[in-house]
Amino acid sequence: MIREIQAKTLLAHVRGEDRVFGLKYNFNLYRGCPHQCIYCDSRSLCYGIEDFRDVLVKVNAPALLANELPRKRVKGPIGTGSMSDPYNPVERRYGLARRALEIIAGCGFPVHIITKSDLVVRDADLLCQVNRTQAVVCFTITTPDDALARLLEPGAPPASARLAAMRTLADRGIPVGTALMPVLPFLTDSEENVTAVAEETAAHGGSFVIPWFGMSMRDRQREWFYRELDRRFPGLRSQYERRYGERYECAAPGGLRLAQVFALVCARLGLADHMPEYQAPVIQPGLFN
Ligand code: SF4
């Protein structure tokens, strides 16, 4: 079900220093996400989304952003894509991400986008405009294997389409890379898989890969994930239950070794482990006196 809603506010401050994504502000244009990744953390009870299969569309998001952004005195990267993919299929109809980029370009703020969709290529022209300040696009790729990705992220475009989009944006001069997260225990935690993600990223013009060698699991998220494991990967659930019980942070077995191997691969390929940093322009004292 798709339902239009009016949000009260849009931009949230990111507290503390965000060393990985480098965000100062964050916003979400949708609640719920049709990509339906089986491991999605946004299903957790704490986020208060009744049924994550529904998509709530914040139709007044552009108006809110146009009002809130010019009031921000500190320029810093604005992130989107943490709770719902801004380029989910509903975006084709509503164009909220496009309108948000127009506003961000007009205000001269940097933007950091996380997505699993090649739809982001639609907005390459605007990303180029925003990139006069900074526009970074990070594609989440848990595996380059399209068949496996389809089982894990059934509503998202194939990993190969995300990689093709990465190449297109890289060719337009947009900084691009990959979020390799989560790395799912017993599913995507092989050296071959994480190496392939890094190699495909480099081959498609990416300059960074941000890894997380494990996953989170809590309440409703765990229930959904286990139900989908039973459907898609029979027998695997018991391995998870034995190893992790009720734990929230679930590190991949052999995660330390995996991280070491991965770091060597990234060093060989020249890939960073974080998004490009935003350097705020230095205003020379007295320049405008
Ligand atoms: S794309 Fe992100 S927000 Fe959407 S279902 Fe997947 S993990 Fe959740």
Side-chain angles (χ1 to χ4, degrees):
M1 183 192 71
I2 298 171
R3 185 153 59 88
E4 297 182 0
I5 60 167
Q6 298 283 327
K8 292 198 177 89
T9 59
L10 195 73
L11 274 180
H13 268 277
V14 174
R15 290 198 197 100
E17 192 185 356
D18 178 359
R19 287 173 187 273
V20 178
F21 294 104
L23 300 184
K24 193 86 193 155
Y25 309 100
N26 197 13
F27 70 90
N28 284 287
L29 300 166
Y30 302 91
R31 279 167 70 80
C33 180
H35 287 165
Q36 291 298 305
C37 308
I38 66 170
Y39 49 75
C40 181
D41 167 70
S42 301
R43 284 194 188 85
S44 305
L45 284 169
C46 58
Y47 298 120
I49 301 172
E50 204 45 51
D51 187 338
F52 200 68
R53 288 167 297 186
D54 295 341
V55 183
L56 309 185
V57 184
K58 300 181 186 177
V59 284
N60 62 335
L64 288 173
L65 190 62
N67 181 40
E68 293 173 22
L69 196 52
R71 296 165 194 258
K72 301 297 179 196
R73 295 180 65 84
V74 179
K75 273 211 173 143
I78 309 170
T80 188
S82 57
M83 290 279 299
S84 178
D85 198 313
Y87 287 98
N88 73 68
V90 179
E91 168 64 17
R92 284 184 201 283
R93 179 167 140 201
Y94 283 93
L96 297 182
R98 185 164 181 85
R99 284 156 67 198
L101 283 178
E102 285 167 356
I103 294 159
I104 292 167
C107 293
F109 273 68
V111 75
H112 291 182
I113 293 170
I114 301 179
T115 184
K116 284 192 177 92
S117 177
D118 53 342
L119 178 58
V120 64
V121 168
R122 178 198 68 185
D123 295 342
D125 56 335
L126 278 168
L127 287 165
C128 289
Q129 279 185 43
V130 178
N131 198 37
R132 289 177 197 147
T133 309
Q134 187 190 54
V136 184
V137 179
C138 179
F139 292 88
T140 304
I141 298 174
T142 55
T143 173
D145 177 338
D146 279 348
L148 180 56
R150 182 155 184 77
L151 289 168
L152 302 173
E153 299 142 359
S160 54
R162 298 173 219 168
L163 287 162
M166 186 183 295
R167 166 50 68 196
T168 302
L169 294 183
D171 288 348
R172 298 282 298 263
I174 306 296
V176 285
T178 296
L180 170 55
M181 50 177 69
V183 172
L184 296 169
F186 317 117
L187 282 166
T188 58
D189 59 344
S190 67
E191 287 185 20
E192 293 73 22
N193 185 63
V194 301
T195 299
V197 170
E199 289 179 340
E200 290 295 332
T201 298
H204 290 81
S207 61
F208 62 88
V209 180
I210 306 170
W212 177 28
F213 298 101
M215 67 179 300
S216 68
M217 270 202 284
R218 60 186 156 195
D219 48 68
R220 208 159 50 187
Q221 173 196 14
R222 181 186 288 109
E223 283 165 30
W224 185 277
F225 182 62
Y226 282 176
R227 200 189 80 176
E228 294 298 315
L229 283 188
D230 287 343
R231 285 182 56 211
R232 295 160 194 266
F233 306 96
L236 206 50
R237 173 192 191 135
S238 58
Q239 285 193 62
Y240 273 84
E241 287 174 331
R242 270 199 306 276
R243 187 169 184 99
Y244 300 112
E246 295 293 304
R247 247 182 273 167
Y248 171 61
E249 287 191 24
C250 307
L256 275 180
R257 162 90 189 129
L258 203 56
Q260 285 167 351
V261 169
F262 187 73
L264 288 174
V265 172
C266 288
R268 170 170 60 82
L269 297 168
L271 294 168
D273 62 359
H274 54 82
M275 280 198 176
E277 282 162 26
Y278 170 66
Q279 303 288 348
V282 178
I283 308 290
Q284 301 288 339
L287 199 62
F288 300 108
N289 292 344

